[in-house]
């Protein structure tokens, strides 16, 4: 339980999170990234991805996004995506 409060979750939890409610991931983002500025582009309703663009380089925010199952966009260091 203590690891979960730090944002560390088992990998099996991440794989099941993608099939959950889309509002829950947006709520997680709002809660866990409340200390940074970011932009969300949600194109999942038309077969796209959920994209998060950080306003500035923040290692904690980047780590949080990776833990939530986001992947970094190769040529854009502050952009992350998730199905």
């Amino acid at each position: 339980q203590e690891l979960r409060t730090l944002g560390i979750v088992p990998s099996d939890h991440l794989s099941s999170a993608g099939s959950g409610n889309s509002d829950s991931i947006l709520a997680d983002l709002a809660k866990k990234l409340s200390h940074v500025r970011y932009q969300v582009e949600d194109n999942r309703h038309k077969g796209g991805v959920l994209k998060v663009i950080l306003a500035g380089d923040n290692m904690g925010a980047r780590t949080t996004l990776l833990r939530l199952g986001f992947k970094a966009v190769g040529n854009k260091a502050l952009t992350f995506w998730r199905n």
Side-chain angles (χ1 to χ4, degrees):
Q1 184 66 10
E2 186 174 327
L3 293 176
R4 287 183 190 276
T5 60
L6 296 173
I8 300 170
V9 294
S11 60
D12 63 328
H13 178 74
L14 291 176
S15 62
S16 64
S19 60
N21 185 350
S22 65
D23 290 337
S24 66
I25 188 62
L26 295 175
D28 276 350
L29 284 173
K31 185 170 95 172
K32 294 180 179 179
L33 297 180
S34 63
H35 63 288
V36 297
R37 291 181 42 215
Y38 65 96
Q39 178 183 353
V40 174
E41 292 180 18
D42 190 352
N43 294 310
R44 293 175 293 172
H45 63 282
K46 54 184 177 180
V49 298
L50 177 63
K51 183 164 52 170
V52 175
I53 305 164
L54 298 175
D57 194 9
N58 182 300
M59 185 58 81
R62 293 172 73 153
T63 303
T64 296
L65 288 169
L66 293 173
R67 288 181 179 155
L68 288 173
F70 285 83
K71 295 179 172 86
V73 174
N75 60 348
K76 297 179 182 177
L78 301 178
T79 305
F80 296 81
W81 69 274
R82 173 185 165 141
N83 286 335

